[in-house]
Amino acid sequence: EVTLGERLQNETRKHPFTVSMQYNFLLPLGLMGDITKHGHEAALSFTAQNYLFSHSIFGAVLSYMNFTGKSHEIKFLHVIPVSVFAGYHLQLNSRFALQPSLGGGVSFISMRYYPYDNEETTKLTNEFKPFAFINLAGLYSINNSFSVALECKLQSMIEPNGILPFLGFGISGRYRL
């Protein structure tokens, strides 16, 4: 008799690509926490499993993040990162798996703020910055094609004078193509 874990492994060999939609609650840390309140992220990712070696994962992700300013000076901060990532798929049993991954890319940042304590005029800045993250996902396979995951992610925008870190806690749905 073939177990669900064996069927999932066979499906991964036949259909190694997955598409995923994710929501994250974002908690800013450090300097990021000084200037923004919590935020939200929506992400779409595409992943290939077992591409270069057994249990490997490689992929790309496009996200949209929204933060509200904490002080009266910053009105909002929008971030659109485009990243690639690599990781490892560790099957714990027939339904549960862990996927640690590491990624990086570039982010487009748009911020509206009040310059010089002038509450009547706002200024908009747009810029590109490097972006990096470490992610740990706990997956539960519902069937051969669909799984859900709880994820914890440490993300950061990188600036010349330091990093702007934040934590993400989220849920995702993944479909095997």
Side-chain angles (χ1 to χ4, degrees):
E1 181 176 318
V2 178
T3 68
L4 177 62
E6 291 168 334
R7 283 196 314 245
L8 288 172
Q9 195 67 281
N10 289 336
E11 285 297 314
T12 300
R13 285 188 200 102
K14 287 191 274 183
H15 306 283
F17 302 106
T18 59
V19 64
S20 172
M21 293 185 68
Q22 179 179 19
Y23 166 79
N24 276 323
F25 175 81
L26 303 174
L27 184 63
L29 306 171
L31 177 59
M32 188 78 171
D34 293 341
I35 62 173
T36 64
K37 297 177 185 175
H38 66 273
H40 304 275
E41 174 184 23
L44 179 65
S45 64
F46 182 76
T47 305
Q49 276 187 248
N50 299 320
Y51 186 65
L52 291 180
F53 55 89
S54 183
H55 305 290
S56 66
I57 55 172
F58 296 95
V61 61
L62 172 65
S63 301
Y64 169 75
M65 301 175 196
N66 180 26
F67 295 92
T68 303
K70 189 178 247 183
S71 69
H72 68 281
E73 298 161 356
I74 296 179
K75 192 165 177 80
F76 66 75
L77 176 68
H78 300 286
V79 182
I80 303 173
V82 177
S83 308
V84 294
F85 61 90
Y88 189 79
H89 180 90
L90 176 64
Q91 193 71 42
L92 300 176
N93 62 32
S94 64
R95 292 211 184 260
F96 292 98
L98 291 177
Q99 282 187 345
S101 60
L102 176 66
V106 64
S107 58
F108 172 75
I109 301 168
S110 180
M111 180 173 66
R112 183 165 296 278
Y113 65 98
Y114 299 102
Y116 315 111
D117 292 330
N118 180 352
E119 301 244 357
E120 296 177 16
T121 306
T122 61
K123 186 172 182 178
L124 180 67
T125 63
N126 296 311
E127 57 190 354
F128 290 92
K129 295 205 179 288
F131 184 82
F133 66 88
I134 297 172
N135 188 58
L136 178 62
L139 282 77
Y140 176 76
S141 295
I142 294 172
N143 58 35
N144 290 347
S145 299
F146 188 72
S147 62
V148 293
L150 294 177
E151 305 193 30
C152 181
K153 187 185 293 188
L154 176 60
Q155 306 176 81
S156 182
M157 291 173 282
I158 303 165
E159 295 206 340
N161 56 351
I163 61 172
L164 299 173
F166 46 98
L167 282 173
F169 301 97
I171 187 165
S172 67
R174 298 173 181 211
Y175 182 75
R176 188 179 317 282
L177 301 174

